[in-house]
Amino acid sequence: MKGKTMAVVGAQWGDEGKGKIVDALAADADIIARYGGGANAGHTIWVDGKKTVLHLLPSSILRPGKTNVVGPYVVVDPEVLVAELAIARKIGATVILDPRCQVVTPLHRQIDVLRELTNGTGVIGTTGKGIGPAYEDLAARRGPKLRDLLSTRRMFRALRDRHFLEERMLLIRTYAAQGKDETDPIRWRLFAENGRDWPELELSGWGVQHAETIAPHLKDAAGLIDAADGKTLLFEGAQGIMLGMVAGTQPYVTASLTGPGAIGETLGVHRLDRVIGVAKAYVTRVGGGPFPTETPEKGDWLRERGAEYGATTGRPRRCGWLDLVALRYACRMGGITELVITKLDVLRGLAEIPLCRAYHRGDGAPCVPEGFDAEGLDGFQPIYETLPGWSEDISGCRSWDDLPENVRTFLNLVSLQLGVPVTGASVGPEREQIAWR
Ligand code: GDP
Ligand code: IMO
Ligand code: MG
């Protein structure tokens, strides 16, 4: 019999504060598994004034005594992995890596970057970490897996499997040829820097230098979870439902499924007792794509107050007001059973807080989009209602009753509008700065 099962998923466009919430909930979990995405993610945890940003390993590794798992749907960049394994080793955290994880190579990163650079108008604004191309190879049923890093022989085979190297190099040369006509020095620098990695890959020695570090951690993740009788399981999502490959704002999305459905298919846990959606009290997004509640007027204020710069790329995040239309959709698509609202402290000092309860298409009449892809959302604008703000410093609140009345009114309205209980209010970046209901 399984013990309790929980999942933490992003309910907006990523960076909602999932890392912080996973770290908090991990106190009561035995096994914590990251189930999707790759080093495009940046999950921030603050403990006693010390900041840690993790890209691949679960945000629970800072708590000794937990079993931290990377599931087979995660695409793994070995360089990032080795750096994070060193953090885990220092803390004494147990780390299990599924041997079937797709490996992100320098070729993937290079294709990702060059594609965006030569794309003209269709730029997605990816993180440049090679995520899209790596998932393409997962779907093409080729390319190296984590277990292939164990020997040069395995790597040699994996790189030649189903024309992997041949096709990937061809693509790079095609994009690079387009780049050649460019006078843009940044383009050329990127090209030259990344080009360095080719010969090493062609000779197949790449990545194998990490074999000894990685080998002791390799173990079938679904099997380990299946054998975990009575244990409390916590699954950590990356990105957010609105960035999901299918449910999100296509084509401005990442290249993987981001919702908890992926947990069942890749790790064998189909029944989740709690699906905890994490959402900011406002909205941010990095990269291109529709964002109905983006606010040019207050965007800079929100960015500075909330320190809204990407944890992975350092890019300034676009900022806007809480969008209940998108959040309602995300709750439905993600099967979210409860919400934790983060960064409430950031809104302090606003006389009024705008809240988007419906969309219109220019005439002020509320209407519902036919889909949340870029085409479906085209032309939709927010209809705002405003709620009274608060001037109190809430960063010290640790229980629901500590929260000022206006904060509770804000959270109750969100809950009522969505039909989903709000069970947590985060009031600062530190581990303890949260009020549970
Ligand atoms: P994730 O990708 O969902 O884990 O989120 P990120 O780490 O990319 O971005 C969230 C940012 O907000 C990080 O810098 C966190 O330290 C910070 N953060 C999380 N919760 C709160 C909060 O309640 N208040 C404030 N001020 N910062 C928070
Ligand atoms: P966490 O887990 C915010 C965005 C990128 C871009 C789009 C596609 O920290 O919330 P990709 O590199 O995945 O091909 O980029 O997705 N993106 C994220 N935005 N947080 C993330 O992760 C993201 N991961 C990808 O900015 O718009
Ligand atoms: Mg992030």
Side-chain angles (χ1 to χ4, degrees), residues 15-20 42-44 46 317 343 345 426-429:
D15 302 331
E16 300 91 346
K18 298 176 292 294
K20 177 191 156 148
H43 296 178
T44 315
W46 283 88
R317 294 173 179 151
K343 306 199 90 158
D345 52 305
S426 176
V427 294

Side-chain angles (χ1 to χ4, degrees), residues 239-359:
Q239 290 81 50
I241 302 283
M242 302 309 287
L243 282 173
M245 175 174 64
V246 180
T249 47
Q250 279 247 23
Y252 300 95
V253 291
T254 190
S256 61
L257 298 171
T258 54
I263 301 166
E265 187 88 16
T266 65
L267 287 164
V269 177
H270 291 267
R271 289 239 306 270
L272 295 166
D273 299 319
R274 297 170 68 188
V275 179
I276 301 144
V278 184
K280 279 176 183 155
Y282 48 97
V283 176
T284 63
R285 107 168 268 180
V286 223
F291 185 174
T293 61
E294 187 168 20
T295 163
E297 298 82 26
K298 273 293 205 187
D300 292 346
W301 186 87
L302 284 168
R303 186 175 314 108
E304 293 318 310
R305 287 289 300 259
E308 295 297 355
Y309 295 89
T312 295
T313 58
R315 288 180 292 176
R317 294 173 179 151
R318 298 158 65 192
C319 298
W321 303 117
L322 189 59
D323 181 344
L324 292 181
V325 182
L327 191 52
R328 186 178 298 115
Y329 169 76
C331 285
R332 174 161 59 88
M333 299 310 278
I336 288 168
T337 61
E338 62 187 280
L339 280 166
V340 172
I341 305 294
T342 61
K343 306 199 90 158
L344 283 154
D345 52 305
V346 174
L347 298 184
R348 177 190 182 187
L350 289 171
E352 289 183 320
I353 300 173
L355 202 55
C356 167
R357 284 174 67 162
Y359 293 159

